[in-house]
Each structure stands twice: as C-alpha cells, then as structure tokens.
Amino acid sequence: MTDLAERTLEGAADGAGAPGEGGDPDALETSEWLEALDAVVSHEGPDRARELLTRVVEHARHAGAGPIASLNTPYVNTIPAALEPPLPGDPAVERRLRSIVRWNAMMMVLRANDRLHGIGGHIASFASLAVLYEVGFNHFWHAPSEDHGGDLVYFQGHSSPGNYARAFLEGRLTAEQLDHFRQEVSHPGGLSSYPHPWLMPDFWQFPTVSLGIGAITSIYQARFMKYLHARGLADTSGRKVWAFLGDGEMDEPESMGATALAGRERLDNLIWVVNCNLQRLDGPVRGNGKIIQELESDFRGAGWNVIKVIWGSRWDPLLAADVDGRLLRVMEECVDGEYQTFKARDGAYVREHFFGRDPVLLQRVAHMSDEEIWLLNRGGLDQQKVYAAYHAAVRHTGQPTVILAKTIKGYGMGVSGEGQMVTHQAKKMADEALLQFRDRFELPLSDEQVLRREYYRPPEDSPEMRLLRSAREALGGPLPARRRRTEPMQAPDLELFRAQLEGTGEREISTTMAFVRVLAALLRDRRLGRHIVPIVPDESRTFGMEGLFRQVGIYSPVGQLYRPQDAEQLMFYKEDAHGQILEEGITEAGSISSFIAAGTSYSAHNVPIVPFYIYYSMFGYQRVGDLVWAAGDSRARGFLLGGTAGRTTLNGEGLQHADGHSHLLFSVVPNCRAYDPAYGYEVAVIVQDGLRRILTEQEDAFYYITLMNENYPHPPMPEGAQEGILRGMYPVREAPAGDRRPVVQLLGSGTILREALAAADLLESDFGVLADVWSVTSFSELRRDGLRVDRHNLLHPDDEPLVAYVTAALAERRGPVIAATDYMRAVGDQIRQWVPRPYRTLGTDGFGRSDSREALRRFFEVDRHFIALAALRELADAGDVERSLPRQAIERYGIDADAPIPTSV
Ligand SMILES: Cc1ncc(C[n+]2csc(CCOP(=O)(O)OP(=O)(O)O)c2C)c(N)n1
Ligand SMILES: [Mg+2]
C-alpha cells in the first residue's frame, strides 16, 4: 500500500476523516481505489489525477450519488513549502524593523493611557497583525506615483496604532502626536482613534472601524475600479484593493454579504486578508470549530481563490515527516478554543495537550525541548509564509483572493495578554511583560528606557531605517495617504435645466420625473455626461428611469450574453461592458457602497465623478445607516435620492414602505444637506448648486433629496427664489399687501406644500382669512443656520446680534405660523426656536397605512382641512378671529374629533 493510501485508511479505520457516521465498511476496496489514484499521481502527474477525479465525481452525480465534492482542503497551508518564493532582502532586518513598529504601537497606547486614564486604544489586534501589514508595506503596496495609480489598502480600524507607529518612523508623525493619540480635541494634531478621513483628511482614506464596513466597501471599490477602466475614465489595471478584516468581523452580514458579487464579477484586483487570530472581543470566534475551515468553504463557494496560511516555517519539517497523516489528524481534530489556549500557556502544555493526543506524535517530538515546541509558529506570524501568500495573491487572475492567516491575538504581550480571553481590551502591560517583550524582540533598549516607556527610532543610517525608506521609495511613497481634491471642472449652468425652470403648464408630473429629466440632461451633456454615475437597486422602473437602460446602458463586465426578451423595444434592457448605470440588484448596502466608491473617486482615482444613487426612501437610511455615516466620514461627494418618499405620498404600500422619517434620520448626518423639494425647478436648483460645489469648488458636499411619485402641475420658478430654495424656504404665494384681514403663515414641504396652498384657498373662501404660503425645502438647513447664528451671538455678546434666516423671513409678516410636512412633526419642530411667533407643526407620526393619498392625509391629520383648522385655532388663541371658528371648521370639514391618535393605532 502506498503512503498516502495508508494514511487515509488509518483515518478511515477509526472514523476520523471517513464520510458519513461510521467507519469504512470496506477498507480493502477503498485502499484499491486510493492506490490506483496514487499511481496516476506518480506516473501522470497531479493535473491528470484532478481531471480523472472531476470526471468520476461528475459521473457519480449522474448515477445519483448526490453532491459529493467538499469545498474544504486539509488544515494546512495552501502553498506547499517547496513552492514558496523566498522573501527578498534580509529577513533579519525586516524582523527588527517590524519589532520596532510593534514596540512603538504598544508604547503609544500605554503612554496615552498613562496620561489619560481610560482613554483606550488597542494593543492586541495590531500585535497579531504586524507581520501581515509589514510584509505588505515592504514588498507589495504601491502608493500613487508616476508609474502606478496606487493600491488601496483598507486597514483594520482598531489596529490604527500600527499605522501611526510606522508613520512615526517615517517621520510623518511626531512623538508628540503619538503621545496625543485619542486627544484630538485638546491637542491640535492629536491622532484620531480610528481611520477617519473626516478627521485626518491627508492620512486616512477609508473609515473601517465599524466592523463590516471595510469589507463591503472594499468589494464595491474593486468593482468600481473595473467600471472606471471599462468606461475609459481611468487606467486602473495593475492596481489592487487590499482589505484587512478580523475573523470575528466576518460574522457581520456586510462582511460576507457581497462576496458573491466579487466572485461573480471576477474581481481579481481584490485581496482580502482575514486575520484569524481566533478571538474577537469577548472570546473565541469559533471555540468549538475552526474559523479558517468555515471561511474557506464559504469563500470557495462564492468563487474566490482561497489561500490558507496556517502553519509557520518551523512546522515544515514536522509536516514533511508526517507521512502517516497523524500530525494532520491532530491538527484537524483540535478546535479553535484549544488553539487559543495553547498559545496562552507554554511549550510543555502544547506537548502534553496537542502532541500528547497521539503517542506516536509525542515520540516524534521527543527530541524537541519545550522551548522549541513553543516556538512552532503560526503562518500569519511568519514573514516567509505571508510573503509567499501575497506573492501568489497579486499574481492570481480571474478571481478575488482571500488569505486566511492564522495568528495569535496579543502576540508578544506575554502574561499581559497573549492568547488570553481578555486581551482585546488590554491597555496596560506589566513592567515584567515589557522587559520580556524587549528581550523577545531584541530591542536595543535599556531597562530604564523600557520602564520609562520610551519610543524608539533607530538612527537614520541603520539597516532598519534604510529598509523602511528604500522599500517605500521603491513603492512610490508612504501609505496611507489621501488626496483631497482633483482637477476642478466647470459645473453646468442652470440653463441646462431650463425645462424644469419653466414649469409644466397644465401637465402633471412627479418630482421623480423632474429629477429623471435633470439626470437625463446631465447624461447628455458632452462635457459632463461621462462623469455622472446613476446607481439603482432594482427600482428603475419604479422611478420611470428605464429609458436610461438603452440610452447609456447597464454596466456588466461581460456585456450581454443573451438576447433580451424586450430586444424589439426601443428601450430594451441593455447590458453593456461600457454601460454607465450601476444596476445593483436588491442590495441597498451594496448600492451605497458603490455610491461611496464613486463619490470618493476624486480622491482615490483623481477622477471627478458625481454619483446619483436613487432608491426607495424607506429602505435607504433605515437599512444602511452605518454606511451613510461612512459616506459622510469618507467625504463622499454626490447625491442620494430617496424615491417614493413621504408617509402619505406613496399610496397603497403601507407600514413598511411609507417613509415619514428619513428627513429626521438624514438631519443627523453632520455634513449631509437634506432637501424635500415640491417642484421641478427646486430639484434643478438644488442639483445645479450641488454640482457647482462638488465639481468647481471641490467641496466635499453630499445631498439627500426626497422625490415623490405624485403627479401634479409644476409652476415656473418665481423670480429671485433661488437663494431661498437653497437656504431652506421661500414664499410661493403672498397675501395682498394692505389687506387688513387676519393672516397666517403656512409652511409646506414636498407634496404637502400643495395641501398648504389648498388650505390657503379654503381659509380665504370659508373664513375670510389670508395666508402667505412658503415652500420649505429644508428644515434641517434652516436649523443649521439658526444654530450657527445662536452660537455666534452667544460668543459675541457685544456685537450686533445676527438674525436667523427663518426669523428674518417671517419677521415682516403677520400671523401665527403653521408647518405641515409628510414627515414626523419633529422635522418641522427643528426650527421652533427661530420662529418669531406662535408655531404649530403637523406631521405624520406613527406607522404607515395603505390607502389613498387623500385618506392617508386625513388619517395623519396633515391635509388641507387640518392645516386650515390649525391656522384658525392659532388665530383664535391670539384673539385675531372668533373663538368659534375652529369648531365651525371641524364641522364644515367633517373632522372626527374622537378619532384615535395616529401614533397609537
Ligand atoms: C459594527 C461594530 N460592532 C462592534 C464593534 C466593537 N468592536 C471593535 S473590535 C471588536 C472585536 C473584533 O474582533 P475581530 O474582528 O476578530 O478583530 P481582532 O481584533 O481580533 O483582529 C468589536 C466587537 C465595532 N467596532 N463595530
Ligand atoms: Mg479576531
């Protein structure tokens, strides 16, 4: 019997490795098959063996043997030791450089916590990751330069001390800055806790610390780079996207949620490195299983190239000697919970509890000291193994690659954390552990220096510093580094949207249609058109955008391999390798990841791009709030469009569709401008101004605009309305000057503006009350203005006080103020303190319902009758009209005063 056959049989005989439950029912037969296979391998080579096996498996399937093939490979490195390319340069110098980075990263957390108890920071994660980063920095990651567009590296958020420590050695950060880690307010130049482009716009590119965000956004970044290339907007060939993810992080739906897209679209410019240190915050990631094996089959199933880096070089001789498979069997039997414990103990423990599982193995390591057993290293901590994996990953074509690297959480922290349950949050290290660390990593520091927790920077002409500099020079410069702006472009003139400015006459359209026309005009523009990226998650037909399918095409890396069912039609479903629309399918998380990639293209690719991502408003922020936040942090530029918005505008759909709060949700994003326009010209003015800010002024501006599907005629833009539209409110109808009848101020937003206009008519005809009617395009922008003014006045008590825009607008008018929107009352309430007279808000608080618009507006008490009632009530309270008018209105308009409150039903 051959070795291989014997080894497999052994496993089968006692059940381990056997398919199904019991052992092998016919061991002899099995051995004959295996021997036959061995003969093929040795005489005809492994390729022929694979071919035969594939045929056998196929054949078995036809014979009804069901799915057979496993997606898992044995629990050893994917790249055999014999095929590893050697690490170039001097491995000893590289190790010493890395030890210095490790030391400084640790020092900055310890020192920051010494100064400010409880300020936090993480030591254990970077400790496990250092080799994985440093091999990349020294050999693989290109910064943008003359001859390379630059790789994009998504660093793990909470391992930021590792990046800062390296930047310190490079001279990009000072020791003082390191000392001010996590003290960014009290010390200008202090370092942000995690990667935040908003806070360190020249340094960090990608906000990754909310777990899962780096994963999904890196996939869409890689996809967007292929798109840019296909459309001839940038040459992105040769550039890679690298993402560093934690093994615990892989539990996030966002982490695994788009891996199929990466496989399907063959994103071979994408490399993920999952740091399998086996632990998350509370404990083991898969104590009772093996995270590497689980992820291997997941990724392989999704079409990825999987490279496992499990064992370090010191295991090579033991694995080479493992002809009977006993070592492999123990490796496969042990679960991650045990692997963690091994590294929290010592060599004697590993001897007893790992090798001791098999007396033959115990014998095999009898010649090794406990110390030698302890030094048996893990693949992700071995620069040679990691280099080989990266080397293979960057050369792999046709698939994305994931590297599953086994490491140790808290590596080097010894008694202060290595492999311990609590290591994630360790921010302190005992003096003893620090001295041991110094010895273990051979740092040239005296005891005093260690105890004083000094940073260490070797002399400029030391081999370590020379390696640091020459490696980064060869790769184009330091990383991470962020580009803030690109070449400005001239924004289109408002004239481009003339059709919207002129109104529609009698014709009824929705604001969605008005927007689609704005978008179509932009796409047709010879100069700007190619810089526009429409993004849609399977809602184009909902929004009447299907005309764009044919006009600009839907991006698909393979073009269109089928004749579409509607090929005969003018606006057929056209997929195209040069297509412009990103039709994402049903994934809001994926779509906004595309938005982020496109919206930061000015920075990552030096190509100005303006994304317009249109989606079902309810499923936008609500589903992907954290990604919206990441878009803000990333300084993404572009437009989010919440279609079918408003709690009562979308008739028929009901509770889970009817959005009455996205404006509140967007009001919390500090740099997002949120607008609720009622008319086509408002949409045009807002978009045009946004384009000016984004393209010409290079502002990191990002917008949320709600669009409705209710059709009505759109008037032409009133003279001089532009400023008010942008600042948040302007009058659309004014009571005749000099008429002394009572007056109210009616504020309306979105389609509810039309209810306010109708209320004004009712008030005059039924009760002799006049009204000024205002379109409020943005309560949140008005609020921001008010807050700015208040702050200024507070801090400059001796200056002439500034006046908020709302206050100034209403100051010269008469009468109480009523606001009505299709959103919760809190939206209108945002401006309360700047309204100079009594103020009442109407809104759609409560779960949505499915019914007609008219019924819904009555139900939520935002229709024309309720607006009129609210106005009369305020006038009556002020003594401007008779006290009986509100009651008369209730009767006249058939309002049920005893109806249940919409919020409670
Ligand atoms: C969405 C989200 N939830 C929770 C956290 C808090 N958190 C930060 S790190 C961490 C553990 C991460 O474990 P793992 O992904 O395995 O990374 P490791 O530190 O082990 O490399 C947790 C829970 C977070 N940052 N983001
Ligand atoms: Mg982990």
Side-chain angles (χ1 to χ4, degrees):
M1 198 184 292
T2 63
D3 285 348
L4 185 62
E6 197 173 313
R7 185 195 313 182
T8 318
L9 258 193
E10 283 253 347
D14 63 0
E21 313 260 293
D24 188 339
D26 189 344
L28 195 64
E29 187 182 39
T30 310
S31 89
E32 283 168 6
W33 277 71
L34 296 179
E35 278 184 55
L37 185 70
D38 285 351
V40 175
V41 174
S42 54
H43 293 116
E44 300 176 62
D47 287 345
R48 173 65 186 146
R50 196 175 305 118
E51 196 179 302
L52 273 178
L53 280 174
T54 311
R55 292 285 299 279
V56 168
V57 168
E58 248 168 48
H59 195 76
R61 241 187 250 135
H62 286 303
I68 305 169
S70 159
L71 290 167
N72 271 122
T73 60
Y75 195 57
V76 290
N77 294 353
T78 305
I79 302 172
L83 297 185
E84 287 168 12
L87 180 87
D90 185 338
V93 175
E94 190 154 338
R95 179 177 190 273
R96 287 205 302 275
L97 170 60
R98 185 169 64 243
S99 300
I100 297 164
V101 177
R102 281 181 187 286
W103 175 261
N104 288 330
M106 204 161 67
M107 285 308 109
M108 73 176 281
V109 177
L110 297 180
R111 289 168 68 100
N113 280 276
D114 278 350
R115 294 165 74 97
L116 263 174
H117 181 70
I119 197 76
H122 300 80
I123 301 173
S125 299
F126 176 66
S128 66
L129 200 52
V131 177
L132 296 168
Y133 274 11
E134 286 295 312
V135 171
F137 277 124
N138 289 330
H139 303 281
F140 292 93
W141 301 334
H142 295 265
S145 64
E146 287 284 287
D147 39 48
H148 198 286
D151 295 319
L152 301 176
V153 188
Y154 289 65
F155 293 104
Q156 184 186 45
H158 57 283
S159 284
S160 60
N163 293 96
Y164 292 141
R166 180 165 246 270
F168 165 68
L169 287 186
E170 290 170 341
R172 301 173 70 200
L173 297 175
T174 62
E176 202 193 346
Q177 283 180 291
L178 258 54
D179 269 351
H180 295 141
F181 175 49
R182 293 184 166 229
Q183 296 149 67
E184 46 188 343
V185 172
S186 36
H187 296 277
L191 303 175
S192 68
S193 49
Y194 303 118
H196 294 301
W198 185 258
L199 301 171
M200 294 175 64
D202 299 314
F203 193 88
W204 292 116
Q205 293 180 283
F206 309 111
T208 49
V209 78
S210 176
L211 301 175
I213 301 289
I216 191 164
T217 51
S218 71
I219 289 179
Y220 282 86
Q221 175 70 263
R223 199 294 204 89
F224 186 72
M225 286 165 71
K226 297 261 184 191
Y227 167 92
L228 277 183
H229 194 86
R231 292 198 45 226
L233 284 158
D235 178 1
T236 60
S237 58
R239 297 175 63 196
K240 302 278 181 196
V241 175
W242 292 71
F244 283 84
L245 308 164
D247 46 359
E249 180 172 13
M250 299 315 290
D251 284 343
E252 287 286 0
E254 288 85 354
S255 299
M256 296 303 286
T259 51
L261 169 97
R264 189 165 62 241
E265 300 211 357
R266 301 174 178 276
L267 301 181
D268 51 11
N269 56 345
L270 178 65
I271 298 168
W272 274 12
V273 182
V274 183
N275 175 17
C276 298
N277 58 21
L278 313 186
Q279 291 176 245
R280 44 181 164 72
L281 194 155
D282 281 344
V285 175
R286 292 289 182 274
N288 293 318
K290 283 212 264 301
I291 186 64
I292 289 182
Q293 297 300 85
E294 179 182 325
L295 292 176
E296 175 183 34
S297 54
D298 286 348
F299 278 99
R300 226 183 269 289
W304 289 53
N305 171 43
V306 180
I307 302 178
K308 297 196 288 191
V309 188
I310 304 178
W311 309 109
S313 305
R314 290 173 197 261
W315 286 92
D316 287 346
L318 286 173
L319 280 163
D322 190 40
V323 288
D324 57 3
R326 284 173 182 275
L327 177 58
L328 177 63
R329 174 136 40 98
V330 170
M331 285 171 162
E332 298 206 326
E333 273 172 15
C334 284
V335 290
D336 283 354
E338 286 169 302
Y339 280 114
Q340 180 193 332
T341 306
F342 293 148
K343 287 302 178 186
R345 305 298 271 265
D346 56 21
Y349 185 91
V350 176
R351 183 192 302 279
E352 184 185 344
H353 294 273
F354 180 80
F355 294 107
R357 283 168 168 259
D358 180 338
V360 177
L361 279 189
L362 209 47
Q363 205 48 45
R364 227 182 267 165
V365 294
H367 67 285
M368 295 172 73
S369 67
D370 285 352
E371 176 66 11
E372 283 168 326
I373 287 183
W374 182 241
L375 290 177
L376 288 170
N377 53 349
R378 291 195 177 162
L381 291 163
D382 182 326
Q383 57 190 12
Q384 171 58 51
K385 301 288 182 196
V386 171
Y387 177 79
Y390 287 8
H391 187 272
V394 295
R395 284 163 180 75
H396 190 80
T397 55
Q399 284 178 303
T401 291
V402 62
I403 294 167
L404 303 173
K406 185 164 172 166
T407 65
I408 301 165
K409 193 142 176 171
Y411 179 65
M413 290 170 73
V415 292
S416 290
E418 191 153 343
Q420 294 180 17
M421 273 314 167
V422 297
T423 191
H424 185 84
Q425 286 165 305
K427 338 229 168 273
K428 301 220 171 297
M429 281 185 61
D431 291 345
E432 194 48 40
L434 286 180
L435 291 166
Q436 276 170 5
F437 187 103
R438 187 257 333 253
D439 297 342
R440 180 165 169 184
F441 293 96
E442 295 164 359
L443 291 154
L445 295 169
S446 68
D447 284 5
E448 290 68 35
Q449 286 175 305
V450 168
L451 299 180
R452 277 201 305 271
R453 291 157 189 222
E454 284 187 12
Y455 297 118
Y456 176 60
R457 184 194 256 150
E460 275 303 317
D461 60 353
S462 62
E464 296 82 12
M465 289 300 272
R466 286 209 306 269
L467 166 63
L468 177 92
R469 298 218 182 276
S470 64
R472 288 317 310 165
E473 263 160 39
L475 289 163
L479 282 179
R482 186 179 174 281
R483 183 188 287 112
R484 277 190 194 229
R485 42 189 293 133
T486 184
E487 277 304 305
M489 287 181 75
Q490 205 192 329
D493 208 75
L494 200 50
E495 209 33 44
L496 183 65
F497 311 124
R498 167 138 298 283
Q500 313 314 315
L501 306 181
E502 286 174 348
T504 61
E506 294 292 296
R507 233 159 23 86
E508 301 196 336
I509 68 165
S510 63
T511 47
T512 307
M513 193 179 290
F515 162 72
V516 172
R517 289 176 184 173
V518 164
L519 182 63
L522 279 172
L523 286 166
R524 271 195 306 272
D525 187 88
R526 290 233 324 278
R527 193 174 49 83
L528 264 181
R530 49 202 305 265
H531 295 265
I532 304 296
V533 177
I535 303 171
V536 200
D538 202 31
E539 297 284 358
S540 302
R541 294 183 201 281
T542 315
F543 304 131
M545 289 172 63
E546 62 271 36
L548 296 181
F549 291 167
R550 173 74 182 83
Q551 187 190 330
V552 295
I554 295 166
Y555 170 73
S556 159
V558 295
Q560 193 155 35
L561 305 177
Y562 59 97
R563 181 179 155 78
Q565 173 275 328
D566 56 356
E568 311 299 329
Q569 294 180 17
L570 193 61
M571 301 194 287
F572 70 91
Y573 193 84
K574 181 185 171 198
E575 297 198 57
D576 188 346
H578 308 292
Q580 193 161 357
I581 300 175
L582 290 173
E583 161 65 86
E584 302 292 7
I586 309 166
T587 165
E588 281 76 17
S591 305
I592 192 152
S593 298
S594 274
F595 174 82
I596 294 172
T600 54
S601 170
Y602 70 94
S603 170
H605 311 298
N606 208 9
V607 179
I609 292 289
V610 185
F612 287 84
Y613 163 32
I614 180 164
Y615 57 90
Y616 226 115
S617 72
M618 186 67 163
F619 305 130
Y621 197 113
Q622 180 122 325
R623 180 63 72 94
V624 299
D626 224 357
L627 281 155
V628 174
W629 203 249
D633 190 349
S634 302
R635 297 171 173 267
R637 303 173 178 177
F639 297 86
L640 299 172
L641 300 126
T644 54
R647 187 96 78 202
T648 69
T649 314
L650 180 65
N651 54 3
E653 290 292 341
L655 186 150
Q656 201 130 36
H657 286 69
D659 161 34
H661 53 284
S662 65
H663 271 287
L664 210 52
L665 297 176
F666 271 94
S667 74
V668 307
V669 186
N671 55 347
C672 183
R673 293 178 162 88
Y675 286 95
D676 185 20
Y679 294 131
Y681 63 80
E682 296 178 357
V683 174
V685 165
I686 295 162
V687 169
Q688 193 274 340
D689 191 61
L691 291 168
R692 178 187 64 77
R693 289 175 189 276
I694 290 170
L695 292 170
T696 313
E697 306 301 327
Q698 295 284 308
E699 275 181 40
D700 302 330
F702 113 87
Y703 289 76
Y704 175 60
I705 303 175
T706 38
L707 300 172
M708 280 73 70
N709 61 347
E710 185 174 353
N711 293 323
Y712 47 82
H714 292 242
M717 180 161 79
E719 196 65 35
Q722 239 167 293
E723 187 195 350
I725 293 172
L726 295 172
R727 297 194 66 175
M729 69 189 283
Y730 69 99
V732 291
R733 186 191 293 182
E734 309 196 60
D739 191 328
R740 296 317 295 169
R741 283 181 288 173
V743 183
V744 288
Q745 305 299 312
L746 300 183
L747 278 47
S749 263
T751 51
I752 301 298
L753 173 62
R754 287 165 40 79
E755 294 297 325
L757 286 164
D761 291 341
L762 291 177
L763 283 167
E764 183 167 8
S765 61
D766 296 345
F767 297 99
V769 167
L770 301 173
D772 293 329
V773 184
W774 303 75
S775 174
V776 180
T777 49
S778 179
F779 280 101
S780 46
E781 283 302 294
L782 291 175
R783 177 175 177 79
R784 279 188 188 146
D785 169 76
L787 292 173
R788 269 192 299 267
V789 164
D790 279 4
R791 177 174 182 275
H792 176 91
N793 293 344
L794 178 70
L795 296 172
H796 303 86
D798 300 327
D799 291 3
E800 183 73 19
L802 301 180
V803 180
Y805 189 76
V806 177
T807 315
L810 294 170
E812 305 294 309
R813 312 280 171 148
R814 287 193 290 134
V817 185
I818 311 294
T821 76
D822 214 2
Y823 296 86
M824 299 170 67
R825 284 174 178 74
V827 171
D829 285 337
Q830 290 182 89
I831 60 167
R832 183 170 294 282
Q833 67 253 51
W834 300 282
V835 177
R837 288 188 301 284
Y839 183 50
R840 184 183 286 262
T841 55
L842 305 182
T844 57
D845 298 65
F847 280 126
R849 284 285 197 290
S850 43
D851 211 314
S852 67
R853 293 189 181 108
E854 197 184 350
L856 290 171
R857 286 170 188 168
R858 169 54 64 101
F859 174 78
F860 282 107
E861 303 172 0
V862 293
D863 66 1
R864 57 199 65 184
H865 301 130
F866 270 91
I867 296 173
L869 171 62
L872 293 172
R873 177 61 201 249
E874 289 297 337
L875 286 168
D877 285 355
D880 290 349
V881 299
E882 280 178 37
R883 286 226 67 89
S884 65
L885 290 198
R887 191 174 32 75
Q888 287 179 32
I890 290 174
E891 281 162 18
R892 180 188 275 264
Y893 300 140
I895 290 173
D896 175 5
D898 297 318
I901 303 176
T903 46
S904 64
V905 288

